Amino acid sequence: MTDPSTESGKVALVTGASRGIGFAVAQALVARGERVVITGRDAASLDAAVAELGGPDVALGVAGKSHDAAHRAETVERAVAAFGRIDHLVNNVGTNPAFGSMVELDLNVARKILDINLVATLGWVQLVHAAWLREHGGAIVNVSSISALGPAPGIGMYGASKAAMVQLTQQLAYELAPNVRVNAVAPAVVRTKFAEALFAGHEEQVVKSYPLGRLGEPSDIGGAVAFLLSEQAAWITGQTLVLDGGLSLGAGLA
């Protein structure tokens, strides 16, 4: 268990954190004494999330789209102005607006997926690194997906973007060492609104593939991300932690 005293007073920026995995990450960080800056597209949802996290003393919400460079710049600027630092960055925003075969995928949709899931991730890293991490050090966690590790029927471009995120994680870990650690997590199906289409109406059948007998909960991912950001993970960088309830122990991801 992470010693809260080693993390108290630090500040994390968590993207896509008004609900689901991002919110669970923010909860885990606040619980051990960190302050958080969270982003999301809907201002009202962010306001509610900030209130649930403990209010403006510990949380700041900045509404906008992750692939909007102006939003990224505003968020980093407001984070430093409000809390004075950004020790941790969690890139959680992701999109998957298409379901079907890759060979039939609209290329404009493919570009959108890559822009939001990959290019924006690099954009966040560049800004936070320039604002704080380059001089003071810290840690980054990118939220990838088990779909990065093999064929992902129906969500191929999403999986490809998340596979690229794994490589990006390794590249950044190499480039930013020794002062900044960069890791990733690769969840299987987690019980969130984003993933609902993958289990709604047939959850019992889906769960049969999981040796641990259940889908993931946002808190499962939140706790793992919090660990990778902590001093207990001080000798871990460039790694992707698979969080899948044992799914990958089976015959395949399909």
Side-chain angles (χ1 to χ4, degrees), residues 121-141:
T121 293
L122 179 57
W124 284 112
V125 171
Q126 290 175 340
L127 285 174
V128 174
H129 184 254
W132 184 264
L133 297 179
R134 178 167 52 204
E135 183 175 352
H136 304 280
I140 298 168
V141 173

Side-chain angles (χ1 to χ4, degrees), residues 148-205:
L149 307 181
I155 56 172
M157 197 65 207
Y158 176 80
S161 72
K162 292 299 188 175
M165 179 181 276
V166 169
Q167 200 284 333
L168 179 68
T169 296
Q170 295 175 336
Q171 184 69 30
L172 290 171
Y174 180 83
E175 291 187 8
L176 301 184
N179 294 327
V180 180
R181 297 183 302 102
V182 188
N183 291 290
V185 293
V189 178
V190 178
R191 198 188 305 278
T192 65
K193 186 174 181 180
F194 179 79
E196 201 170 39
L198 299 176
F199 64 86
H202 59 287
E203 182 173 339
E204 185 176 337
Q205 184 63 34

